[in-house]
Amino acid sequence: MITRRHFLEVSSLAAAGAAASCQAPGEGLAAGGAMAAGGGDLPPSIAALTSRASEPTPISVAERQGRIEKARRLMVDQGINALMLTGGTSLIYFTNIRWGLSERLFSIIIPVSGQPFLVCPAFEEDRAREQLHRGPLESTEVLTWHEHESPYALVAGGLRARGLASGSLGVEETVRFVFSDGVAREAPALTLTSGTPVTAGCRGVKDEHELALMQLANEVTLTAYKAAYEALEVGMTQGDFRNLVSLAHSQQGFSGGAGVQVGQYSALPHGSVTPQVLDEGSVLLIDGGCSAEGYRSDISRTFLLGEPTDKMRQVFDIEYRAQSAALAAAAPGVEAQAVDAAARRVIEEAGYGPEYTYFTHRVGHGIGMDGHEWPYLVKGNNMPLEPGMTFSDEPGIYLPGELGVRLEDDMAITREGAELFTPQSPSPEDPFGTGTSA
């Protein structure tokens, strides 16, 4: 097990990994072996890990073109004439353009038929064209505007040139209001509506390639957790353990990390900024992940430093059964809310109810290129599940001032039911489902 002195020698190596959390290989850090060469000894459990950075296959131009064609079919179904995208995950999903948000409008407009067009600041044109060459819209028309000009007039003009002076413009959910409002003012005959039925309709159902990338990301994160857990010792801070998790991801060739909450702060689902130290008997709730070619993992584990109390065992067992109930309930055609209800019923019947009293959040969120994305497993969502949808399965029991237990694995809806990407955590003594105490 790593000593405190050795830990301090290597913990600084993880800082860059934590800052670049959830990037894919090639987007951030090199493999962890190169990092460790800079000085200090890695804990044996982390040093033994090998790089998997060469395994993921990037999404191809043809795959992104297929996504655009699916979006157009959904636009027809929804009565949407064009889709407006700005910088963010959906822009990457369809076009492979990586562009940050600023006060200057940069937008791709995809009409239901005909050629898409790009509106961007004139001084960014060369950079924009460089990125267009990396995706399916290489021949897209580029409309540029100078600092004193209106980009919204260019959007309106581009739509008019495609016969869309009126009709419906679907606005992607992360587009800033100032941008959509500017377009509405320049094109008053247009109806602006939510583009979520199109973007979530595409992104919410994953194909085999996407599922394979998510499988890899989940395997890497769970392996990182196990290696960090095996290097855990009394006296470490939450930051110390967080750095171990980042190091273990890096050693596998990925940037990833986890939030760590100790003791009573594990009863706060997203934790506390209060400094925390691991003592004998401490409960640790960790939550994090990484990404493979942009596809995310999101895993939570609850560890115990020492022998669990009877109450800890009881709460852990209830939590495990609730997570299992959600998994068993998930299947094609089942309403999303039914999965939440299955887990919540187990927790309530065990005395930790009603409703959100101790299980304070939904049982799961969609996951893919974003850690949280459509659709959601929550009361009131009657959307039927489909094969290829992916979610977290993460019931939680939080006892204020005492402890919290959350077990989270990601799951995919299959033709027959649902499957987790990673083994469940069946007990405090066997947190990684290996059949033996870790």
Side-chain angles (χ1 to χ4, degrees), residues 108-341:
I108 290 278
I109 308 295
I110 301 174
V112 71
S113 62
Q115 187 68 14
F117 64 96
L118 168 64
V119 173
C120 81
F123 73 90
E124 297 277 32
E125 181 176 0
D126 289 345
R127 185 164 75 101
R129 290 189 181 278
E130 179 183 58
Q131 293 219 36
L132 283 169
H133 288 314
R134 301 170 60 240
L137 301 182
E138 185 173 3
S139 59
T140 292
E141 181 182 13
V142 178
L143 306 177
T144 62
W145 56 281
H146 290 291
E147 297 280 53
H148 68 288
E149 296 174 326
S150 169
Y152 313 116
L154 291 180
V155 174
L159 290 169
R160 283 196 301 272
R162 289 156 177 79
L164 298 176
S166 61
S168 177
L169 176 64
V171 180
E172 202 269 345
E173 64 184 294
T174 63
V175 174
R176 291 179 173 176
F177 175 78
V178 67
F179 296 155
S180 59
D181 184 58
V183 172
R185 291 174 184 273
E186 288 287 348
L190 273 179
T191 298
L192 272 63
T193 189
S194 171
T196 297
V198 176
T199 55
C202 290
R203 292 175 53 190
V205 177
K206 278 69 176 180
D207 61 23
E208 290 185 3
H209 188 179
E210 293 172 295
L211 292 172
L213 293 172
M214 293 183 67
Q215 180 68 53
L216 175 59
N218 277 271
E219 290 173 4
V220 166
T221 290
L222 193 62
T223 297
Y225 283 5
K226 187 172 186 295
Y229 176 79
E230 291 171 354
L232 178 64
E233 62 181 25
V234 171
M236 287 182 175
T237 67
Q238 63 184 139
D240 292 341
F241 189 73
R242 182 169 58 241
N243 287 342
L244 288 176
V245 173
S246 293
L247 281 169
H249 278 92
S250 298
Q251 186 72 359
Q252 297 176 82
F254 292 74
S255 284
V260 181
Q261 305 303 324
V262 180
Q264 64 178 325
Y265 300 105
S266 62
L268 304 176
H270 285 166
S272 167
V273 297
T274 302
Q276 299 158 41
V277 178
L278 282 64
D279 297 319
E280 188 70 27
S282 289
V283 174
L284 280 79
L285 176 56
I286 68 171
D287 182 7
C290 71
S291 74
E293 290 295 329
Y295 284 83
R296 303 279 296 266
S297 59
D298 188 4
I299 298 175
S300 295
R301 286 291 180 267
T302 304
F303 301 142
L304 185 72
L305 212 59
E307 188 69 20
T309 64
D310 289 344
K311 186 170 188 178
M312 172 65 177
R313 291 181 192 277
Q314 177 196 52
V315 173
F316 199 105
D317 179 65
I318 297 166
E319 172 70 8
Y320 174 75
R321 290 190 287 111
Q323 188 193 38
S324 301
L327 175 65
V334 171
E335 291 185 355
Q337 63 181 351
V339 182
D340 180 274

Side-chain angles (χ1 to χ4, degrees), residues 7 12 17 43 68 91 120 125 290 358 382 390:
F7 181 84
S12 62
I68 292 174
L91 186 69
C120 81
E125 181 176 0
C290 71
Y358 297 101
N382 60 5
T390 49

